[in-house]
């Protein structure tokens, strides 16, 4: 099994509905995101996935949330923009963009230094 990852970051504002604390107020973060892609075989050049292609796909996804009020985006109109939900959103969006001999394995989102939310799909029985 092979795995590659890329990191990026984005800035956005949000507030958490029904949260009993300061995060219920409008505020912002500089999130760091890392996307991990996994596969069993390499292509003819010896790559699982070209880092350039992975970075481009991630940029397209990050452009949806970067410098936005997340509560006002379509993705979070009916869902709290927690780091967990952001990780799930990025996972789903990246999975729609990555195909071939690999799949998105997991997405890590760091809301602040020292805090991490991770999203992945449970392994299927044949994995």
């Amino acid at each position: 099994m092979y795995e590659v990852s890329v990191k990026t970051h984005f800035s956005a504002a949000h507030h958490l509905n029904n949260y009993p604390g300061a995060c219920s107020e409008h505020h912002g973060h500089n999130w760091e995101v890392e996307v991990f892609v996994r596969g069993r075989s390499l292509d003819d050049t010896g790559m699982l996935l070209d880092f350039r292609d992975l970075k481009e796909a991630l940029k397209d996804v990050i452009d949806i949330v970067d410098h936005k009020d997340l509560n006002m985006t379509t993705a979070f109109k009916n869902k709290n923009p927690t780091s967990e939900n952001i990780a799930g959103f990025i996972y789903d969006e990246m999975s729609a963009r990555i195909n071939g001999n690999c799949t998105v394995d997991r997405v890590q989102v760091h809301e602040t230094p020292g805090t991490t939310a991770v999203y992945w799909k449970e392994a299927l029985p044949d994995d």
Side-chain angles (χ1 to χ4, degrees), residues 69-90:
D69 179 344
L70 298 179
N71 297 82
M72 302 304 290
T73 64
T74 303
F76 299 104
K77 201 69 160 164
N78 299 310
K79 186 185 292 189
N80 248 353
T82 62
S83 289
E84 294 88 342
N85 282 331
I86 293 167
F89 166 76
I90 294 170

Side-chain angles (χ1 to χ4, degrees), residues 5-98:
S5 71
V6 294
K7 287 183 184 180
T8 193
H9 63 276
F10 71 96
S11 300
H14 74 156
H15 68 273
L16 300 181
N17 296 310
N18 303 314
Y19 182 80
C23 291
S24 65
E25 298 294 328
H26 197 254
H27 63 284
H29 295 284
N30 295 313
W31 278 273
E32 183 175 290
V33 175
E34 187 167 11
V35 175
F36 295 83
V37 176
R38 179 180 282 194
R40 288 189 168 89
S41 61
L42 304 179
D43 65 16
D44 292 339
T45 62
M47 293 182 198
L48 178 64
L49 178 65
D50 191 322
F51 285 121
R52 180 184 58 207
D53 295 336
L54 186 53
K55 287 178 185 178
E56 286 176 9
L58 184 53
K59 181 189 178 313
D60 290 344
V61 173
I62 294 303
D63 283 347
I64 298 169
V65 294
D66 191 31
H67 285 83
K68 303 285 190 313
D69 179 344
L70 298 179
N71 297 82
M72 302 304 290
T73 64
T74 303
F76 299 104
K77 201 69 160 164
N78 299 310
K79 186 185 292 189
N80 248 353
T82 62
S83 289
E84 294 88 342
N85 282 331
I86 293 167
F89 166 76
I90 294 170
Y91 179 98
D92 290 342
E93 290 291 320
M94 288 297 293
S95 293
R97 289 166 170 77
I98 300 297

Side-chain angles (χ1 to χ4, degrees), residues 40 122-127:
R40 288 189 168 89
E122 289 192 45
L124 300 174
D126 64 343
D127 280 353

